[in-house]
Amino acid sequence: MPDEQHKLPLHLSILAQNLPISETLAINELIAKKNLKRNGLLHMGFGEALMPLHPLLKRALADSATATKYAPVRGLLELRQTISDYLNRTRNIRSSADQVVVGPGSKALIYALLRLLEGDVLLPAPSWVSYAPIARLGGKTAILVGTDSNDHQGLSSKALSQAMKQAEKSGAKPKILIINSPGNPTGGMFTPENVKEIAQWARKEGITLISDEIYAELAHGWRTHVSPVTFYSEGCIVTGGLSKTFSAGGWRLGYAILPNTETGVKLVEAIRALGSAVWSTTATPIQQAAVVAFAPNIEIEKYVQSSAAVFGYITNKLYETLTELGVPCARPAGGFYLYPDFAPWRSILLKRGVRTSKELANYLLEEWSIATLPGSAFNEDPSALRLRLSTSMLCEPEEVTSVEEREKFLWKTLNQATKKNFSPTFPLLTLAQEKWTKVLLNLGGNET
């Protein structure tokens, strides 16, 4: 009798059987499924910019609703030129429209790059949850590089060389490095000196450097954002998008700036070919609305600055609370993340069955209704008791009954954010400070 299994209509590849969903999306879906928010849950597991959409962008999308024709695969020329001008104006990144590729989110563009570039991928540990799976989907090995133990953002040429040497001994061929500054999960930002060191190392070794600058506009102001393309224009690719800067993650629009070299031109055409086979084009109405987002406009620029100020305020307030409680945690420099280390409570947590960061995240969710993500989700050693805390949802108002009320509260906050003595009241921030205080008092004093 023939094997019945051979008659099954679906035959999954090894990749399909072992590919996990992004943990950042998984925690959000879990909370929505269980409706945990109504049970006093403190949601710090998902990083999404949640400011109200700027009215000019809302109007631009409405005006573009009838743009139903396919746009060029690489993106509308007007949008590509506007993005080029925007990066020149805001980050001193010199480029032309021909170097810009637009796609359905920067994640899709990073995937395209890793499919089309040769070699394996060097990744800082920790680094964003999606880089390693995208590398795997691109048929590449992800090679982890140790970071500064004080803040887990600093990346030295020595550590890079060591990781590269070890990888080559094991048969890997590292030719790509992905960095993210301001970073997820650390909330940290490379110093200008560190950026220069990384760029010079990449040039010396002939490494393609992909600089994910999705949080660049959300810098908190005490450290200057510098792009490595400034030091390594011929080998650096810059990616970004709408999601964090303009609180429009669901619009799914990203961009990549390719080097102005012969190989860069070929790579642009290769992305165009891949995009034509996979996503055809980024939604035309979204592209037309994005022109308004990236074009010079005082109102929108103030909105972005205010958003950065609000996220910086909330993140730093919680940082102060944690450090006052004795939790080792690097000072955040951008975005809306903290990366605290609970190693000082290891022996106490061990008595409660907590040995790994994943077990710590589960303990906090089950016992304290605090949703976080474990450091192991970001390629950290599972035994390291570090967590990624997202503060972006702590700006949400409580007990509002309509979208209009929510937006009124947030717009009032945004309008005050860049003024002196900005000191708003955020109920969820207060709740977070109280909950973390209770957790740490319950665990007892810092053992170190």
Side-chain angles (χ1 to χ4, degrees):
M1 186 176 179
D3 189 342
E4 292 295 324
Q5 189 174 358
H6 291 165
K7 295 182 180 180
L8 294 175
L10 299 177
H11 305 279
L12 297 183
S13 69
I14 296 298
L15 178 64
Q17 295 175 46
N18 295 285
L19 192 65
I21 188 172
S22 163
E23 293 208 38
T24 52
L25 296 174
I27 188 70
N28 207 42
E29 291 177 7
L30 172 68
I31 288 166
K33 183 178 179 181
K34 292 189 173 184
N35 205 13
L36 292 174
K37 284 187 179 179
R38 293 187 180 179
N39 297 320
L41 179 105
L42 185 63
H43 192 355
M44 304 190 73
F46 189 58
E48 181 177 9
L50 291 172
M51 292 301 164
L53 188 67
H54 196 284
L56 291 176
L57 301 189
K58 194 182 296 185
R59 190 182 314 146
L61 184 60
D63 291 344
S64 303
T66 56
T68 55
K69 291 184 178 180
Y70 286 93
V73 179
R74 287 173 54 192
L76 296 169
L77 176 58
E78 183 184 9
L79 175 58
R80 290 189 287 115
Q81 185 61 60
T82 305
I83 290 171
S84 174
D85 294 342
Y86 172 82
L87 291 174
N88 182 20
R89 187 174 69 251
T90 61
R91 286 184 239 165
N92 198 31
I93 295 175
R94 309 288 180 182
S95 67
S96 70
D98 290 340
Q99 293 171 249
V100 181
V101 179
V102 173
S106 59
K107 188 186 287 191
L109 289 168
I110 292 171
Y111 167 75
L113 290 167
L114 296 190
R115 285 295 298 174
L116 298 169
L117 290 166
E118 279 192 355
D120 294 312
V121 184
L122 293 159
L123 290 178
S127 54
W128 182 46
V129 296
S130 290
Y131 295 141
I134 290 174
R136 186 180 172 197
L137 286 169
K140 303 183 185 306
T141 298
I143 300 149
L144 301 182
V145 185
T147 52
D148 187 332
S149 60
N150 292 317
D151 69 5
H152 305 282
Q153 180 71 22
L155 191 61
S156 70
S157 55
K158 181 180 179 181
L160 286 162
S161 293
Q162 287 175 342
M164 189 170 178
K165 208 171 285 184
Q166 284 296 114
E168 288 172 340
K169 282 183 182 178
S170 64
K173 297 179 179 179
K175 292 187 177 181
I176 304 163
L177 168 63
I178 302 179
I179 60 173
N180 176 213
S181 179
N184 178 3
T186 66
M189 189 187 298
F190 294 125
T191 65
E193 296 77 19
N194 201 185
V195 173
K196 185 176 182 179
E197 179 185 0
I198 293 166
Q200 289 179 338
W201 177 86
R203 173 183 281 127
K204 178 185 172 186
E205 299 294 340
I207 296 290
T208 299
L209 181 56
I210 299 176
S211 180
D212 181 356
E213 302 181 15
I214 195 77
Y215 296 97
E217 281 75 24
L218 297 184
H220 296 169
W222 64 273
R223 178 168 284 173
T224 303
H225 176 271
V226 178
S227 175
V229 75
T230 309
F231 307 105
Y232 186 33
S233 61
E234 75 277 18
C236 183
I237 299 167
V238 174
T239 64
L242 286 175
S243 61
K244 312 305 179 184
T245 306
F246 302 101
S247 291
W251 282 22
R252 305 313 305 140
L253 185 140
Y255 60 79
I257 314 299
L258 286 295
N260 185 26
T261 62
E262 184 180 344
T263 307
V265 170
K266 290 179 180 178
L267 183 54
V268 167
E269 285 306 306
I271 296 173
R272 178 170 171 256
L274 184 148
S276 70
V278 177
W279 60 73
S280 297
T281 181
T282 306
T284 308
I286 299 297
Q287 290 197 58
Q288 291 188 352
V291 171
V292 176
F294 290 114
N297 184 289
I298 292 174
E299 285 186 47
I300 293 178
E301 288 165 10
K302 183 181 177 183
Y303 163 83
V304 171
Q305 292 168 3
S306 296
S307 295
V310 172
F311 290 134
Y313 176 87
I314 290 174
T315 307
N316 279 278
K317 282 296 180 184
L318 186 57
Y319 160 76
E320 289 170 6
T321 297
L322 291 172
T323 52
E324 285 170 7
L325 291 165
V327 182
C329 183
R331 183 184 177 189
F336 31 72
Y337 301 115
L338 294 168
Y339 200 60
D341 189 347
F342 296 88
W345 292 270
R346 184 176 296 279
S347 64
I348 295 169
L349 287 166
L350 188 60
K351 294 174 184 176
R352 303 187 189 190
V354 175
R355 300 171 185 80
T356 65
S357 60
K358 190 162 188 175
E359 290 174 347
L360 177 56
N362 289 338
Y363 166 76
L364 290 167
L365 183 60
E366 297 297 328
E367 299 295 326
W368 295 92
S369 293
I370 302 175
T372 65
L373 281 185
S376 57
F378 301 89
N379 304 310
E380 275 267 43
D381 182 336
S383 66
L385 295 177
R386 287 185 276 273
L387 299 174
R388 201 286 305 270
L389 311 184
S390 173
T391 63
S392 61
M393 293 189 182
L394 300 183
C395 66
E396 289 279 0
E398 279 195 317
E399 298 178 358
V400 294
T401 57
S402 67
V403 173
E404 290 74 20
E405 280 187 87
R406 174 187 179 274
E407 293 205 352
K408 183 179 179 181
F409 172 86
L410 290 174
W411 273 113
K412 182 179 179 181
T413 303
L414 286 169
N415 289 333
Q416 297 172 345
T418 55
K419 296 179 180 177
K420 289 183 179 179
N421 303 318
F422 175 61
S423 184
T425 299
F426 293 103
L428 289 179
L429 171 60
T430 302
L431 176 64
Q433 291 171 312
E434 291 172 352
K435 277 207 171 195
W436 282 108
T437 299
K438 288 178 182 177
V439 168
L440 290 158
L441 289 176
N442 181 267
L443 291 176
N446 183 322
E447 295 171 349
T448 60

